[in-house]
Amino acid sequence: MKKKNFRFAVIDVIYIMMMTLPVLFGIILKILTNPQSEGVSITGAKIYFEIPMPLQNLFITEAQINSWLVIISVLGLCLYMTHGLSVKAKTKRQVLAEWIVEKTESLVNESMGDYFKGYAPFIAAILALSAFSSLLSLFGLFPPTSDINIVAGWSILVFILITYYKLKGGILNYLKGFTEPIFVMAPLNVLGEIATPVSMAFRHYGNVLSGSVIAVLVAFALSGLSSLLLGWLPGAIGEIPFFRIGIPAILSVYFDIFSGCMQAYIFAMLTMLNVSGAFPVEEFEKRRQKKLLKKKI
Protein backbone atom coordinates (compact mmCIF):
# COMPACT_ATOMS: atom_id res chain seq x y z
CA MET A 1 0.00 0.00 0.00
CA LYS A 2 2.84 2.36 0.91
CA LYS A 3 4.64 1.45 -2.32
CA LYS A 4 1.53 2.35 -4.31
CA ASN A 5 1.16 5.69 -2.50
CA PHE A 6 4.85 6.47 -3.09
CA ARG A 7 4.51 5.71 -6.81
CA PHE A 8 1.38 7.91 -6.99
CA ALA A 9 3.24 10.79 -5.29
CA VAL A 10 6.23 10.45 -7.63
CA ILE A 11 3.99 10.64 -10.71
CA ASP A 12 2.27 13.71 -9.21
CA VAL A 13 5.67 15.38 -8.79
CA ILE A 14 6.52 14.64 -12.44
CA TYR A 15 3.27 16.23 -13.60
CA ILE A 16 3.84 19.27 -11.38
CA MET A 17 7.32 19.62 -12.89
CA MET A 18 5.74 19.49 -16.37
CA MET A 19 3.57 22.43 -15.36
CA THR A 20 6.25 24.60 -13.76
CA LEU A 21 9.55 23.83 -15.51
CA PRO A 22 8.50 25.15 -18.95
CA VAL A 23 7.71 28.56 -17.41
CA LEU A 24 11.00 28.52 -15.52
CA PHE A 25 12.82 27.58 -18.72
CA GLY A 26 11.14 30.49 -20.53
CA ILE A 27 12.22 32.94 -17.82
CA ILE A 28 15.83 31.72 -17.90
CA LEU A 29 15.89 31.83 -21.71
CA LYS A 30 14.63 35.42 -21.71
CA ILE A 31 17.21 36.50 -19.13
CA LEU A 32 20.04 34.92 -21.14
CA THR A 33 18.96 36.23 -24.55
CA ASN A 34 17.47 39.67 -23.79
CA PRO A 35 20.05 42.35 -22.95
CA GLN A 36 19.11 44.94 -20.36
CA SER A 37 17.80 48.19 -21.81
CA GLU A 38 17.07 51.55 -20.28
CA GLY A 39 13.73 53.27 -20.66
CA VAL A 40 10.59 51.91 -22.27
CA SER A 41 10.95 49.08 -24.77
CA ILE A 42 8.03 47.78 -26.85
CA THR A 43 9.09 45.20 -29.41
CA GLY A 44 7.67 42.13 -31.08
CA ALA A 45 8.69 38.53 -30.55
CA LYS A 46 12.46 37.97 -30.51
CA ILE A 47 13.80 35.83 -33.37
CA TYR A 48 16.06 33.10 -31.96
CA PHE A 49 17.17 31.51 -35.24
CA GLU A 50 15.94 30.71 -38.73
CA ILE A 51 15.77 27.47 -40.73
CA PRO A 52 16.50 27.68 -44.48
CA MET A 53 13.47 26.70 -46.56
CA PRO A 54 12.87 26.58 -50.36
CA LEU A 55 10.36 29.47 -50.57
CA GLN A 56 11.03 31.43 -47.37
CA ASN A 57 13.15 30.85 -44.31
CA LEU A 58 11.31 29.56 -41.24
CA PHE A 59 11.84 31.91 -38.29
CA ILE A 60 11.78 30.37 -34.82
CA THR A 61 10.60 33.18 -32.58
CA GLU A 62 9.91 33.84 -28.93
CA ALA A 63 6.17 33.47 -29.62
CA GLN A 64 6.61 29.95 -31.04
CA ILE A 65 8.86 28.79 -28.20
CA ASN A 66 6.49 30.20 -25.58
CA SER A 67 3.53 28.53 -27.32
CA TRP A 68 5.20 25.14 -26.95
CA LEU A 69 6.00 25.92 -23.32
CA VAL A 70 2.31 26.66 -22.73
CA ILE A 71 1.29 23.42 -24.49
CA ILE A 72 3.63 21.38 -22.26
CA SER A 73 2.39 23.15 -19.12
CA VAL A 74 -1.27 22.62 -20.06
CA LEU A 75 -0.55 18.95 -20.81
CA GLY A 76 1.06 18.59 -17.38
CA LEU A 77 -1.94 20.28 -15.76
CA CYS A 78 -4.37 17.94 -17.53
CA LEU A 79 -2.37 14.85 -16.57
CA TYR A 80 -2.15 16.03 -12.96
CA MET A 81 -5.87 16.75 -12.67
CA THR A 82 -6.85 13.39 -14.22
CA HIS A 83 -4.30 11.30 -12.33
CA GLY A 84 -5.92 8.71 -10.10
CA LEU A 85 -9.47 9.07 -11.37
CA SER A 86 -12.12 6.94 -9.70
CA VAL A 87 -15.81 6.24 -10.30
CA LYS A 88 -16.70 8.39 -7.33
CA ALA A 89 -14.68 11.58 -7.01
CA LYS A 90 -12.45 11.34 -3.94
CA THR A 91 -10.07 14.23 -4.56
CA LYS A 92 -10.61 17.96 -5.05
CA ARG A 93 -8.75 17.92 -8.36
CA GLN A 94 -11.06 15.27 -9.77
CA VAL A 95 -14.07 17.33 -8.67
CA LEU A 96 -12.52 20.36 -10.40
CA ALA A 97 -11.73 18.34 -13.54
CA GLU A 98 -15.30 17.02 -13.72
CA TRP A 99 -16.67 20.53 -13.22
CA ILE A 100 -14.54 21.87 -16.10
CA VAL A 101 -15.69 19.04 -18.39
CA GLU A 102 -19.35 19.53 -17.48
CA LYS A 103 -19.22 23.31 -17.99
CA THR A 104 -17.41 22.99 -21.32
CA GLU A 105 -19.87 20.38 -22.61
CA SER A 106 -22.79 22.54 -21.46
CA LEU A 107 -21.30 25.59 -23.21
CA VAL A 108 -20.79 23.66 -26.44
CA ASN A 109 -24.28 22.14 -26.37
CA GLU A 110 -25.92 25.52 -25.76
CA SER A 111 -23.88 27.33 -28.43
CA MET A 112 -23.52 24.65 -31.12
CA GLY A 113 -26.23 22.05 -30.59
CA ASP A 114 -26.16 18.28 -30.11
CA TYR A 115 -24.56 17.61 -33.50
CA PHE A 116 -21.34 19.30 -32.32
CA LYS A 117 -21.17 17.82 -28.82
CA GLY A 118 -17.88 16.15 -29.71
CA TYR A 119 -16.31 19.60 -30.01
CA ALA A 120 -16.03 20.05 -26.24
CA PRO A 121 -12.33 18.94 -26.05
CA PHE A 122 -11.45 21.23 -28.97
CA ILE A 123 -13.13 24.26 -27.37
CA ALA A 124 -11.53 23.46 -24.00
CA ALA A 125 -8.13 23.34 -25.73
CA ILE A 126 -8.74 26.75 -27.35
CA LEU A 127 -9.75 28.27 -24.01
CA ALA A 128 -6.76 26.81 -22.16
CA LEU A 129 -4.17 27.62 -24.84
CA SER A 130 -5.39 31.18 -25.31
CA ALA A 131 -5.85 32.01 -21.62
CA PHE A 132 -2.54 30.52 -20.45
CA SER A 133 -0.68 32.14 -23.37
CA SER A 134 -1.96 35.56 -22.29
CA LEU A 135 -1.16 34.84 -18.63
CA LEU A 136 2.53 34.32 -19.48
CA SER A 137 2.93 38.10 -19.26
CA LEU A 138 2.51 37.77 -15.48
CA PHE A 139 5.93 36.08 -15.46
CA GLY A 140 7.51 38.73 -17.66
CA LEU A 141 7.41 36.49 -20.74
CA PHE A 142 6.21 37.43 -24.21
CA PRO A 143 2.56 36.27 -24.54
CA PRO A 144 2.07 34.32 -27.81
CA THR A 145 -1.40 35.85 -28.16
CA SER A 146 0.22 39.25 -28.81
CA ASP A 147 1.83 37.85 -31.98
CA ILE A 148 -0.47 38.04 -35.02
CA ASN A 149 1.21 34.97 -36.57
CA ILE A 150 0.15 32.72 -33.70
CA VAL A 151 -3.45 33.91 -33.50
CA ALA A 152 -3.75 33.94 -37.32
CA GLY A 153 -2.81 30.25 -37.30
CA TRP A 154 -5.69 29.52 -34.93
CA SER A 155 -8.06 31.57 -37.10
CA ILE A 156 -7.03 29.73 -40.25
CA LEU A 157 -7.77 26.43 -38.53
CA VAL A 158 -11.23 27.73 -37.59
CA PHE A 159 -11.75 28.95 -41.18
CA ILE A 160 -10.94 25.45 -42.49
CA LEU A 161 -13.56 23.99 -40.13
CA ILE A 162 -16.13 26.58 -41.25
CA THR A 163 -15.53 25.73 -44.92
CA TYR A 164 -15.63 22.00 -44.17
CA TYR A 165 -19.07 22.23 -42.60
CA LYS A 166 -20.38 24.51 -45.32
CA LEU A 167 -19.35 21.92 -47.91
CA LYS A 168 -21.39 19.28 -46.09
CA GLY A 169 -24.43 20.81 -47.80
CA GLY A 170 -22.82 20.16 -51.20
CA ILE A 171 -20.42 22.11 -53.38
CA LEU A 172 -23.26 23.64 -55.42
CA ASN A 173 -25.06 24.82 -52.28
CA TYR A 174 -21.76 26.30 -51.02
CA LEU A 175 -21.16 28.24 -54.24
CA LYS A 176 -24.81 29.29 -54.36
CA GLY A 177 -24.39 30.95 -50.96
CA PHE A 178 -22.03 33.52 -52.51
CA THR A 179 -24.80 34.71 -54.87
CA GLU A 180 -27.37 35.43 -52.15
CA PRO A 181 -29.48 37.52 -51.93
CA ILE A 182 -28.58 38.55 -55.51
CA PHE A 183 -25.73 37.60 -57.87
CA VAL A 184 -24.24 41.11 -57.76
CA MET A 185 -23.38 40.56 -54.07
CA ALA A 186 -20.94 37.72 -54.90
CA PRO A 187 -17.73 39.81 -54.56
CA LEU A 188 -18.87 41.20 -51.20
CA ASN A 189 -19.84 37.72 -50.00
CA VAL A 190 -16.37 36.42 -50.93
CA LEU A 191 -14.78 39.29 -48.98
CA GLY A 192 -17.09 38.54 -46.06
CA GLU A 193 -15.93 34.93 -46.10
CA ILE A 194 -12.28 35.97 -45.93
CA ALA A 195 -13.05 38.64 -43.32
CA THR A 196 -14.15 36.04 -40.75
CA PRO A 197 -10.69 34.62 -39.88
CA VAL A 198 -9.06 38.05 -40.35
CA SER A 199 -11.41 39.72 -37.86
CA MET A 200 -11.04 36.88 -35.36
CA ALA A 201 -7.25 37.10 -35.51
CA PHE A 202 -6.97 40.89 -35.27
CA ARG A 203 -9.60 41.15 -32.52
CA HIS A 204 -7.75 38.71 -30.27
CA TYR A 205 -4.25 39.93 -31.14
CA GLY A 206 -5.16 43.62 -30.93
CA ASN A 207 -6.80 43.43 -27.52
CA VAL A 208 -3.95 41.47 -25.92
CA LEU A 209 -1.21 43.60 -27.50
CA SER A 210 -2.91 46.89 -26.62
CA GLY A 211 -3.14 45.82 -22.98
CA SER A 212 0.59 45.05 -22.89
CA VAL A 213 1.48 48.36 -24.54
CA ILE A 214 -0.73 50.39 -22.18
CA ALA A 215 0.72 48.64 -19.12
CA VAL A 216 4.30 49.37 -20.25
CA LEU A 217 3.55 53.03 -21.04
CA VAL A 218 1.81 53.59 -17.70
CA ALA A 219 4.70 51.98 -15.81
CA PHE A 220 7.19 54.20 -17.69
CA ALA A 221 5.10 57.31 -17.01
CA LEU A 222 4.87 56.48 -13.31
CA SER A 223 8.66 56.08 -13.15
CA GLY A 224 9.09 59.52 -14.68
CA LEU A 225 6.53 61.06 -12.32
CA SER A 226 8.21 59.47 -9.31
CA SER A 227 11.61 60.78 -10.43
CA LEU A 228 10.15 64.26 -10.99
CA LEU A 229 8.37 64.61 -7.66
CA LEU A 230 10.55 62.48 -5.37
CA GLY A 231 13.93 62.67 -7.06
CA TRP A 232 15.07 65.24 -4.49
CA LEU A 233 15.18 62.58 -1.77
CA PRO A 234 18.77 61.82 -0.67
CA GLY A 235 20.77 58.84 -1.94
CA ALA A 236 19.28 55.71 -3.42
CA ILE A 237 15.86 56.54 -1.95
CA GLY A 238 15.34 59.20 -4.62
CA GLU A 239 15.94 56.60 -7.36
CA ILE A 240 13.16 54.29 -6.14
CA PRO A 241 10.07 54.59 -8.40
CA PHE A 242 7.54 54.78 -5.55
CA PHE A 243 4.58 55.53 -7.85
CA ARG A 244 5.13 52.24 -9.65
CA ILE A 245 4.36 50.33 -6.47
CA GLY A 246 0.85 48.89 -6.60
CA ILE A 247 -0.65 50.71 -9.60
CA PRO A 248 0.92 48.49 -12.33
CA ALA A 249 -0.21 45.47 -10.35
CA ILE A 250 -3.81 46.69 -10.48
CA LEU A 251 -3.50 47.21 -14.25
CA SER A 252 -2.02 43.74 -14.55
CA VAL A 253 -5.08 42.23 -12.89
CA TYR A 254 -7.23 43.71 -15.66
CA PHE A 255 -5.02 43.50 -18.75
CA ASP A 256 -3.19 40.24 -18.02
CA ILE A 257 -5.82 38.24 -16.14
CA PHE A 258 -9.33 39.55 -16.82
CA SER A 259 -8.78 40.78 -20.38
CA GLY A 260 -6.67 37.75 -21.35
CA CYS A 261 -9.27 35.27 -20.09
CA MET A 262 -12.09 37.32 -21.62
CA GLN A 263 -10.40 37.29 -25.05
CA ALA A 264 -9.97 33.52 -24.78
CA TYR A 265 -13.70 33.17 -24.07
CA ILE A 266 -14.64 35.50 -26.95
CA PHE A 267 -12.42 33.61 -29.40
CA ALA A 268 -13.93 30.29 -28.30
CA MET A 269 -17.47 31.68 -28.61
CA LEU A 270 -16.78 33.04 -32.10
CA THR A 271 -15.36 29.66 -33.07
CA MET A 272 -18.47 27.84 -31.87
CA LEU A 273 -20.92 30.28 -33.45
CA ASN A 274 -19.11 30.47 -36.80
CA VAL A 275 -18.61 26.72 -37.13
CA SER A 276 -22.15 25.76 -36.08
CA GLY A 277 -23.67 28.62 -38.09
CA ALA A 278 -21.88 27.44 -41.23
CA PHE A 279 -23.50 24.00 -41.10
CA PRO A 280 -26.54 23.83 -43.46
CA VAL A 281 -28.64 21.34 -41.51
CA GLU A 282 -31.54 21.13 -43.98
CA GLU A 283 -29.35 20.60 -47.04
CA PHE A 284 -27.23 18.05 -45.17
CA GLU A 285 -30.32 16.06 -44.14
CA LYS A 286 -31.62 16.12 -47.73
CA ARG A 287 -28.30 14.78 -49.05
CA ARG A 288 -28.21 12.14 -46.33
CA GLN A 289 -31.77 10.97 -47.13
CA LYS A 290 -30.93 10.74 -50.84
CA LYS A 291 -27.89 8.61 -50.09
CA LEU A 292 -29.98 6.30 -47.89
CA LEU A 293 -32.58 5.92 -50.67
CA LYS A 294 -29.88 5.07 -53.20
CA LYS A 295 -28.47 2.39 -50.90
CA LYS A 296 -31.93 0.82 -50.45
CA ILE A 297 -32.50 0.77 -54.21
Side-chain angles (χ1 to χ4, degrees):
M1 190 68 179
K2 290 183 178 180
K3 185 177 181 180
K4 184 178 179 181
N5 291 336
F6 177 75
R7 182 187 175 191
F8 188 89
V10 169
I11 295 175
D12 267 358
V13 171
I14 293 173
Y15 292 154
I16 292 172
M17 290 175 66
M18 283 183 65
M19 287 187 280
T20 56
L21 288 182
V23 178
L24 181 61
F25 171 80
I27 294 172
I28 295 173
L29 183 64
K30 182 168 184 177
I31 293 173
L32 295 177
T33 57
N34 284 19
Q36 290 185 353
S37 59
E38 295 182 1
V40 63
S41 177
I42 302 173
T43 59
K46 180 182 177 62
I47 299 175
Y48 289 122
F49 58 92
E50 56 182 293
I51 302 173
M53 302 292 284
L55 297 178
Q56 182 180 348
N57 290 347
L58 175 62
F59 295 95
I60 304 302
T61 68
E62 192 175 10
Q64 292 170 309
I65 298 297
N66 289 352
S67 291
W68 279 104
L69 297 181
V70 170
I71 291 172
I72 296 171
S73 294
V74 171
L75 175 60
L77 177 63
C78 293
L79 292 174
Y80 175 77
M81 293 182 67
T82 56
H83 184 216
L85 292 179
S86 58
V87 177
K88 186 178 180 181
K90 297 180 180 179
T91 59
K92 292 181 180 179
R93 58 176 142 173
Q94 182 173 344
V95 173
L96 179 60
E98 291 179 356
W99 179 82
I100 292 173
V101 171
E102 290 174 359
K103 290 299 180 182
T104 306
E105 288 180 345
S106 175
L107 180 65
V108 171
N109 289 335
E110 291 176 3
S111 303
M112 305 183 76
D114 293 335
Y115 184 84
F116 294 92
K117 61 183 179 181
Y119 264 70
F122 178 71
I123 298 302
I126 288 177
L127 286 167
L129 184 59
S130 178
F132 281 95
S133 293
S134 298
L135 292 175
L136 274 187
S137 58
L138 293 173
F139 301 95
L141 299 177
F142 182 85
T145 44
S146 61
D147 188 334
I148 186 62
N149 299 291
I150 299 296
V151 186
W154 302 351
S155 300
I156 291 171
L157 175 59
V158 174
F159 179 69
I160 292 172
L161 290 173
I162 292 171
T163 306
Y164 169 76
Y165 281 102
K166 281 188 175 181
L167 288 172
K168 277 185 171 290
I171 184 68
L172 293 177
N173 183 69
Y174 174 70
L175 295 175
K176 182 183 175 183
F178 290 109
T179 63
E180 295 177 351
I182 54 176
F183 182 78
V184 182
M185 298 295 293
L188 291 177
N189 288 333
V190 172
L191 288 175
E193 193 81 357
I194 299 172
T196 298
V198 173
S199 64
M200 288 182 66
F202 276 95
R203 179 185 287 108
H204 197 333
Y205 153 77
N207 280 286
V208 175
L209 179 64
S210 62
S212 300
V213 171
I214 290 171
V216 171
L217 291 176
V218 169
F220 180 72
L222 289 173
S223 295
L225 183 63
S226 180
S227 177
L228 179 65
L229 298 180
L230 302 176
W232 55 270
L233 293 174
I237 300 177
E239 298 178 3
I240 300 175
F242 287 100
F243 290 132
R244 283 185 60 176
I245 300 174
I247 297 177
I250 297 173
L251 291 175
S252 179
V253 170
Y254 175 78
F255 289 119
D256 295 333
I257 300 177
F258 176 77
S259 182
C261 294
M262 180 59 69
Q263 293 307 316
Y265 176 77
I266 291 172
F267 191 89
M269 285 298 299
L270 289 174
T271 298
M272 290 187 287
L273 294 176
N274 286 326
V275 171
S276 60
F279 182 49
V281 181
E282 294 181 0
E283 292 296 328
F284 176 74
E285 288 298 328
K286 288 179 182 178
R287 285 167 56 85
R288 192 169 69 87
Q289 293 298 329
K290 287 181 180 179
K291 289 181 180 179
L292 290 175
L293 288 174
K294 286 182 179 179
K295 285 182 180 181
K296 288 181 180 179
I297 295 172

